[in-house]
Amino acid sequence: MRTNRMTPAQARRTRRAVLQAVVDAGSRCAGLDAGAWFRGDDEPAIDWRPRRDSAIRVCTGCPVRAACEELALRNGDGEPDADELVRAGLTGPELAAVREHQAERLAAAADLDRDTEGRRLDDLLAQLHHEATKDPDHKAGTTRTIAACQTAQNTKVQALATQIRKIRTARRARTGWEKAA
Ligand code: SF4
């Protein structure tokens, strides 16, 4: 029997989504106050350090720590001189040090992420165009009213638009624009 096996290139391209799914499914910080992993604006070191150490302790026992670290590195979290967050049990300067050490591998991963994201965006835009321009009664059959079909279509369009907005916002944030226009 013939099996459809993923090529190494395909596997690398889907890695980011896989990492995110792993973190979403098993993170120890899910449901906790996300602010506990970030230093507040102008928060003095004497207040931040014990909070930082508590966050690191939670990460230490987290089953998805390795995936979380790779995502943080791919996302560019952490700066050499900014002790203001914790990811995967590492402070910002520690993440920056790991990133520098693995610069070549991460640059290649980031390129693949951008490719993957671009393809996903194109796909979502095509779906949005198709959904927004099709006849709402096209597949109505006999059991659904046109109004019900229209409502379902609007819901789909909104969901697609939300996904597109999220991707664009993330892309703009990476280039310093922060919010999608
Ligand atoms: S390693 Fe830490 S920041 Fe990452 S998912 Fe686990 S608890 Fe959350």
Side-chain angles (χ1 to χ4, degrees):
M1 189 171 83
R2 192 170 169 224
T3 55
N4 289 325
R5 304 192 107 196
M6 220 184 242
T7 67
Q10 286 170 326
R12 283 196 301 276
R13 287 196 183 99
T14 57
R15 180 158 176 76
R16 187 175 215 295
V18 171
L19 289 169
Q20 189 63 61
V22 167
V23 170
D24 290 347
S27 70
R28 249 188 119 188
C29 56
L32 301 180
D33 175 16
W37 274 256
F38 293 95
R39 187 174 184 168
D41 291 342
D42 302 323
E43 182 176 0
I46 197 167
D47 294 337
W48 164 237
R49 280 190 193 130
R51 293 204 311 111
R52 183 190 68 187
D53 293 346
S54 295
I56 289 172
R57 275 196 294 278
V58 175
C59 292
T60 301
C62 180
V64 299
R65 186 173 170 181
C68 179
E69 179 180 325
E70 184 166 341
L71 272 180
L73 293 171
R74 286 171 177 237
N75 289 345
D77 291 343
E79 293 172 34
D81 303 321
D83 179 17
E84 56 190 19
L85 57 83
V86 171
R87 276 283 179 285
L90 299 175
T91 65
E94 287 169 342
L95 281 167
V98 174
R99 179 177 298 105
E100 190 181 338
H101 186 63
Q102 302 185 10
E104 211 169 295
R105 184 174 76 82
L106 285 163
D111 279 349
L112 284 169
D113 288 347
R114 270 194 290 277
D115 288 347
T116 306
E117 195 178 60
R119 280 194 301 275
R120 175 84 182 126
L121 194 54
D122 289 345
D123 183 45
L124 286 170
L125 285 166
Q127 285 183 54
L128 180 66
H129 177 75
H130 173 73
E131 241 355 280
T133 56
K134 79 178 183 186
D135 176 357
D137 201 27
H138 184 58
K139 291 181 182 171
T142 55
T143 56
R144 295 172 82 191
T145 64
I146 291 179
C149 290
Q150 182 74 64
T151 301
Q153 185 177 356
N154 288 344
T155 303
K156 247 181 171 178
V157 167
Q158 281 169 13
L160 287 165
T162 299
Q163 289 182 66
I164 290 167
R165 192 166 52 247
K166 275 187 188 165
I167 292 176
R168 284 180 164 162
T169 300
R171 286 159 80 95
R172 282 177 171 247
R174 281 202 300 271
T175 57
W177 283 83
E178 300 300 334
K179 286 186 181 163

